[in-house]
Amino acid sequence: MMVATEFPFDAVLGYDLAAPLVGIANRNARIVARAHPERTPMQAFSADALELEFAHRKLVIFLFNPFGSSVMSMLLDSLERALADGSIETLRVVYIYPVCAHLFDASPMLARDWSGCVPYDPAEIGYGTEERQDVVTWKSVAKPEHALSS
C-alpha cells in the first residue's frame, strides 16, 4: 500500500481478514501521511475479499499470493462479473508470487500484460530467502461477445 501512494491513484485501499494487521497498516498509513502529505491517502479495512463490491470504475488489484486456487477462482469470478456489468471499467491485476497465474491466464476478460522476475532492493535482501520476486500483471480486454449481449 505504501508504494501505491507514490502513484496518482484516487484511493489506496487495503483489505485483510486479520484485524491486528489492519491496525498496523492504518498506523503505517498515518506515518506515511505525515511524512508525505502530497501522496494519495491510504486506508486498510478488515473485510473478506470475496464480499467486496467493486464500485471503482478504474481498479488496480495488488495480490501477494493471498489465496489458494479455490478462493482465487471465486475472487476472479467476482472481478469478471464486475467487468461484465460495468462496475469496473478497466482492471489491472498485479500478482506477486503468482501461484494461481493460470486462473488469470484462462480469463477471457484479462490479458497477460507483463511478467518478470524483479530483484529486491539491496537493502531488502536478508529478510527472506529470495533475492528476487516473480511478478505477473494482467489488464482487462474488451468484453467477450456473450457478455455484451447479456
Side-chain angles (χ1 to χ4, degrees):
M1 287 175 50
M2 286 187 266
V3 171
T5 68
E6 298 175 24
F7 296 90
F9 294 119
D10 291 337
V12 175
L13 309 174
Y15 298 92
D16 199 297
L17 284 174
L21 294 178
V22 170
I24 292 168
N26 283 324
R27 279 193 298 280
N28 289 339
R30 290 189 292 276
I31 292 167
V32 170
R34 281 193 302 274
H36 301 282
E38 74 285 1
R39 290 188 184 181
T40 303
M42 66 178 178
Q43 186 172 6
F45 302 90
S46 183
D48 184 335
L50 297 179
E51 296 178 4
L52 296 176
E53 291 187 22
F54 301 106
H56 303 284
R57 303 297 290 166
K58 297 179 181 179
L59 185 63
V60 177
I61 303 266
F62 177 87
L63 303 165
F64 189 92
N65 191 34
F67 314 116
S69 330
S70 62
V71 174
M72 191 67 84
S73 181
M74 289 185 277
L75 176 63
L76 180 57
D77 287 346
S78 180
L79 291 167
E80 288 175 330
R81 280 192 306 277
L83 278 164
D85 73 17
S87 298
I88 298 173
E89 182 181 314
T90 60
L91 173 65
R92 283 218 175 250
V93 177
V94 179
Y95 190 0
I96 309 290
Y97 193 63
V99 173
C100 298
H102 63 284
L103 298 173
F104 292 89
D105 284 335
S107 172
M109 302 186 93
L110 298 173
R112 189 181 278 221
D113 190 38
W114 184 84
S115 65
C117 195
V118 179
Y120 287 129
D121 183 273
E124 297 174 319
I125 294 175
Y127 288 100
T129 58
E130 298 91 13
E131 293 185 4
R132 51 184 69 233
Q133 187 64 62
D134 293 334
V135 181
V136 180
T137 67
W138 292 264
K139 63 181 178 180
S140 54
V141 294
K143 295 177 188 172
E145 289 302 317
H146 62 80
L148 293 174
S149 62
S150 48

